[in-house]
Structure formats: structure tokens, C-alpha cells
Amino acid sequence: MKQTDLTLLEQLRITEFEIENRQRLFMISDEDVRLIVEARSIVEAGLDALVDRFYDLQTSVPEIALLIGDAETLGRLRNAQKRYISDLFSGVYDIDYVNNRLRIGLVHKRIGVDTTLYLSAVYILKALLSDLLSEHIVDLNRRAKTLAALEKVFLFDITLVFETYIRSLLSEIETSRKKSEQYASSLEEKVKDRTRQLEQMARTDPLTGLFSVRYLDESLTRYLRAAERRLEPVSLVYIDVNDFKEFNDSQGHQRGDEILRAVGSAIRQVSRAEDGCFRYGGDEFCIILPNCDREQAQKNYCDRLVEELDKAEQNVVLSIGIAQTGPESYASATALIAQADSAMYQSKAEFKSCPQLDGAELPALEADQVTDEALLKQK
């Protein structure tokens, strides 16, 4: 027997013991088997005519005729039906017989035979066999017993066919369910990816590629809490592009956008992975430098930023304010931004009052916990 066939039997847990148990449930006795075998000669003598009549009736039903299709298929079905009837009257209902019945159910499901059509075909076949046997078995008692025995075997067969039919249907449902789950999971992942993309777009300034100002307070608060737990300083750098309005007015907004992109690029180049880089709005920028004091912010960040920007835009001057908080005590996010903003404006004021300084650095301005420093570059 083929391995695939064995698998079908194993899937349904049908063993020889199970077959015997089912025959007992349908009360198929040795006498029933004997009566069916004795009727075999009658059936085989009229088999061709019986099968011809069966398919005449079947093909008169439009749905069945559509399923059968062409004459070649009809010929194969006729031969298969003859084999089935011969097996039915063999009296041998062993595991091979059962396997053939199981396969019938599987085939019927695969080709799309509705259960109603299948049961209708069984009814017609039983009626034709009953008429044939009744015509040739004269003894009424023996005829009744033979027909009753045949009814039991038909029921035995129908349960086998329906088991594979139903199992195949459940298998299709399970496959569809898995496909639906996979599709739903795929959609969920796409939604998550799209949501992440939208969140990233919302968090990112499209012109400079830096974070949007709407997340500055939230992010700075997280940085401050982390620094307080580790007793580390945090510096906030506030940057403004000097005379930015004049660039826009004299050279156009496209030129202004080029300058902002250049500043954003320079910021990304000199920033560490842990730094938070934000476009604050217009021509202003804020940089969060964790574990970095004012002097480190000036030397390791601001000086390098000016040098980096000078490579792309030599005529652009930045006013920069630096505010430090911690590690002794920590300002709030709002207060730290205000301190850095104030330092930047003091830097801008120094720039406007000393335009003749060529790249000179003004003295640092100190106030309480925050040191404000002006960095000027004039070419």
C-alpha cells in the first residue's frame, strides 16, 4: 500500500480493530456478508446495464453533468463504479476496502461534489440494486434480508466517505485560517512599519533631518532624569543663524533653505549617537549633550561645529549659547531651554556690537548655575 494511503488511514486512526468495531456498530453479521456474496452473481450479470442506467440518471442532473464534463471522464467513472459495486458484493470489508472508500470521499471533495449530490447518487444506486435483486431473488424473506444487509454496508461506506470529505473540508478551513492569520499578521506588520515611518516623519524636520521641536521638551526631560540618576552633567546648546532674514530677503528662500540644510548637516556630522539634535524653529537649533559640561560642550562640540559648517558655508555666522545643569542640582527642561536661549541672545548681542571681530571668541558670560558663551565667526 502506498505511504500516502497509509497516512490517510493513520490520520483518521482507522485500524483493523476500528473496522471490526464499526461493523459491529452497524450490526453487519456473518449472515449479512454471506447473503451479499450470494447475490454477487446476480449483480455481475446485470452490472453493465445497471451502471449505464445509473449514469443516464446522473447526467440528467445539470450539476452532475457539468462536473462529469466529457465522454472520457464519463468512461473512467463507469469503470470505477463497476469496480466499486464488485467490491461491495465481494464480502471482504478489510483495510484495503476501507482505504478505497476513504479515497472516494477525498476525490469527491477535491472535484467539488456537493454532499447532497453524493447522497442522491447513493440513493439512486441503492434503488437500482434493490430493483435488480428484487427481480431475481424470489424468496421474499431472503430478499428482505439481503436488502437489509446491503443497507448496512452502504451505511458503513457512507460514514467512511463522509469522514474524509469532512476532514478535507476542515483541512481547507484550517489552511484558509492560517492564510488569513498570515495575511492579518502581514497587514499588522505593514501597519506597524507605516506607523513607525509616520512617527519618524512626525519626529523629524523634513528640511534638516534633525528632530522636530515638538519632541524637545519630552526628550530633554528624559535626558535630565537619566543624568540625575547617574549624577552626570547635561549641556544644552542653543544655536541661531545670524542675519538669516537678510539671506532670505536678498538671496531668496531657496538660499535660506540651503543654509539651514548645511547647518543641519554640520550638526549631524559633529554629534554623537547619544546626543539629541533638534531644529527649534526657523533658523534656531537645540542640541542636548548628555554627560557633557560647558567646557566640553564648547571645545568638543561648538568649535568643531563652526569648523564643519565653514567647509560648506564660509559666510554663515552662528550665535551659540550654552547652558549646563548638574551634577549638583538639575534645572527643569523649560528652565534649561530658557537659560540656553538667553545665553544665545547675549552672544548675538555681542556679535552685533563687535562686527569687526574676525572669527574672534568673546569672553564667556556666567550666571548662577548656567555659563553663557558667545561664539562668533565673521569672514
Side-chain angles (χ1 to χ4, degrees):
M1 188 178 300
K2 295 180 181 179
Q3 183 61 35
T4 53
D5 296 338
L6 290 173
T7 300
L8 182 59
L9 289 165
E10 290 170 353
Q11 287 175 349
L12 294 170
R13 296 186 177 89
I14 296 179
T15 61
E16 292 182 355
F17 175 80
E18 172 64 16
I19 293 171
E20 292 176 0
N21 183 56
R22 291 188 183 211
Q23 290 177 1
R24 282 194 297 271
L25 289 174
F26 287 106
M27 302 178 68
I28 300 175
S29 64
D30 291 341
E31 182 183 3
D32 291 325
V33 174
R34 179 181 60 79
L35 288 169
I36 288 174
V37 171
E38 289 176 355
R40 183 175 185 177
S41 58
I42 298 173
V43 172
E44 288 187 343
L47 187 58
D48 289 338
L50 185 145
V51 171
D52 288 343
R53 178 58 180 159
F54 174 79
Y55 277 105
D56 286 342
L57 294 171
Q58 288 290 282
T59 53
S60 67
V61 179
E63 297 94 327
I64 298 177
L66 185 63
L67 287 171
I68 292 175
D70 52 38
E72 184 179 351
T73 301
L74 180 59
R76 289 198 301 270
L77 289 174
R78 288 177 185 274
N79 292 330
Q81 187 71 303
K82 290 178 182 179
R83 288 194 298 272
Y84 166 63
I85 295 172
S86 295
D87 289 344
L88 182 66
F89 283 87
S90 68
V92 180
Y93 310 121
D94 57 8
I95 200 160
D96 286 330
Y97 179 90
V98 168
N99 179 64
N100 288 331
R101 302 289 81 72
L102 294 175
R103 292 177 63 185
I104 288 174
L106 197 61
V107 170
H108 276 69
K109 180 63 188 73
R110 285 176 179 172
I111 65 176
V113 177
D114 185 82
T115 52
T116 303
L117 296 178
Y118 170 73
L119 289 175
S120 172
V122 170
Y123 175 79
I124 291 172
L125 180 60
K126 283 199 304 180
L128 292 174
L129 286 170
S130 296
D131 290 345
L132 179 63
L133 294 175
S134 297
E135 181 182 350
H136 291 84
I137 300 176
V138 180
D139 185 282
L140 295 180
N141 183 52
R142 181 165 169 261
R143 180 197 302 170
K145 288 182 178 181
T146 301
L147 294 178
L150 184 61
E151 177 72 19
K152 295 177 185 179
V153 177
F154 263 118
L155 289 174
F156 176 77
D157 285 2
I158 290 171
T159 58
L160 294 171
V161 170
F162 266 68
E163 282 197 42
T164 48
Y165 191 102
I166 293 170
R167 184 177 184 84
S168 178
L169 183 62
L170 291 175
S171 178
E172 288 183 3
I173 294 172
E174 180 65 16
T175 300
S176 297
R177 183 187 66 82
K178 289 180 178 179
K179 287 182 178 179
S180 298
E181 288 179 352
Q182 291 173 355
Y183 181 67
S185 178
S186 174
L187 283 182
E188 187 176 345
E189 286 300 316
K190 289 180 180 179
V191 170
K192 286 180 180 179
D193 289 342
R194 185 56 179 161
T195 301
R196 284 192 291 266
Q197 292 173 4
L198 292 174
E199 288 176 350
Q200 184 65 25
M201 290 173 62
R203 295 174 69 92
T204 303
D205 172 57
L207 182 63
T208 63
L210 305 181
F211 287 120
S212 170
V213 66
R214 72 180 66 182
Y215 297 102
L216 177 59
D217 286 346
E218 174 189 336
S219 299
L220 182 53
T221 299
R222 288 201 303 268
Y223 276 99
L224 292 172
R225 288 175 180 172
E228 192 169 2
R229 287 195 303 270
R230 296 192 288 261
L231 298 177
E232 297 174 350
V234 175
S235 290
L236 182 68
V237 177
Y238 201 114
I239 303 169
D240 178 86
V241 179
N242 289 328
D243 299 325
F244 184 71
K245 186 175 184 301
E246 294 181 12
F247 283 111
N248 274 335
D249 291 344
S250 63
Q251 302 181 42
H253 288 282
Q254 184 174 355
R255 172 61 179 151
D257 288 347
E258 290 176 358
I259 291 173
L260 293 177
R261 278 194 290 267
V263 174
S265 176
I267 288 172
R268 291 197 303 273
Q269 286 295 321
V270 301
S271 296
R272 303 169 297 176
E274 61 268 29
D275 297 338
C277 306
F278 296 81
R279 182 185 178 191
Y280 195 70
D283 61 333
E284 296 178 340
F285 301 84
C286 282
I287 314 300
I288 306 171
L289 303 175
N291 195 23
C292 182
D293 61 25
R294 185 199 61 79
E295 293 182 1
Q296 292 170 326
Q298 175 64 60
K299 180 179 179 180
N300 297 333
Y301 191 86
C302 296
D303 291 349
R304 291 175 55 229
L305 175 62
V306 172
E307 293 175 1
E308 184 66 29
L309 180 60
D310 188 59
K311 298 175 183 178
E313 295 288 348
Q314 295 184 357
N315 295 322
V316 175
V317 180
L318 303 178
S319 288
I320 302 176
I322 304 172
Q324 176 191 330
T325 187
E328 289 79 14
S329 61
Y330 292 86
S332 67
T334 302
L336 192 62
I337 292 172
Q339 292 166 4
D341 184 31
S342 177
M344 184 275 293
Y345 273 105
Q346 292 181 55
S347 169
K348 186 177 286 292
E350 292 290 343
F351 167 74
K352 290 181 178 180
S353 65
C354 306
Q356 74 279 8
L357 293 178
D358 185 13
E361 181 180 314
L362 294 179
L365 302 176
E366 299 181 0
D368 297 328
Q369 297 177 353
V370 179
T371 300
D372 300 331
E373 183 167 320
L375 180 65
L376 302 171
K377 180 167 71 69
Q378 178 73 29
K379 293 290 185 180

